[in-house]
C-alpha cells in the first residue's frame, strides 16, 4: 500500500509566513527562529514518519503561525 501523500496549499503557507513576519518586530530574528525550529524538529523526529512529504521549514512555519493565538508565544517572537 502506498503512503498517502499529504498535500498542502502553498499559498496558505505563504500567508502563514507573512503572519509570522507581521507579528514579529524583527524579520531576521523570526526567520532564524523558524530555521532553528525546523532544524530541531528535523533531528528530533528523524526516526518518526509523521509526514515525510512536508519539509521541516514548512512544518515550522505552520506550527509557529498556529501558536500566534497563544500570548506567551507572541511575546517570545517579539522579544
Amino acid at each position: 500500500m502506498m503512503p498517502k501523500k499529504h498535500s498542502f496549499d502553498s499559498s496558505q503557507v505563504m500567508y502563514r509566513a507573512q503572519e509570522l513576519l507581521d507579528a514579529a518586530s524583527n524579520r531576521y530574528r523570526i526567520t532564524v527562529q523558524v530555521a532553528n525550529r525546523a532544524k530541531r524538529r528535523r533531528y528530533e523526529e528523524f526516526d518518526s514518519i509523521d509526514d515525510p512529504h512536508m519539509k521541516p521549514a514548512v512544518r515550522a512555519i505552520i506550527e509557529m503561525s498556529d501558536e500566534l493565538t497563544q500570548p506567551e508565544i507572541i511575546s517570545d517572537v517579539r522579544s
Side-chain angles (χ1 to χ4, degrees), residues 18-34:
Q18 189 60 48
E19 279 183 329
L20 284 175
L21 291 171
D22 291 343
S25 59
N26 185 324
R27 293 172 72 93
Y28 173 78
R29 186 162 185 187
I30 193 65
T31 303
V32 170
Q33 287 177 339
V34 169

Side-chain angles (χ1 to χ4, degrees), residues 2-79:
M2 291 281 288
K4 182 178 176 184
K5 182 176 181 176
H6 297 278
S7 63
F8 56 89
D9 185 6
S10 61
S11 63
Q12 182 69 9
V13 174
M14 290 176 56
Y15 175 77
R16 288 172 173 247
Q18 189 60 48
E19 279 183 329
L20 284 175
L21 291 171
D22 291 343
S25 59
N26 185 324
R27 293 172 72 93
Y28 173 78
R29 186 162 185 187
I30 193 65
T31 303
V32 170
Q33 287 177 339
V34 169
N36 285 336
R37 162 122 14 145
K39 184 178 178 182
R40 184 172 56 244
R41 294 272 299 180
R42 181 176 180 211
Y43 290 111
E44 286 175 355
E45 296 183 0
F46 187 72
D47 296 329
S48 174
I49 310 175
D50 189 25
D51 188 359
H53 300 288
M54 188 179 293
K55 299 287 186 186
V58 172
R59 184 187 317 253
I61 289 169
I62 291 171
E63 288 176 354
M64 291 177 74
S65 67
D66 286 344
E67 293 168 357
L68 282 176
T69 58
Q70 300 175 15
E72 64 274 10
I73 301 301
I74 292 174
S75 65
D76 288 346
V77 170
R78 291 189 177 168
S79 61

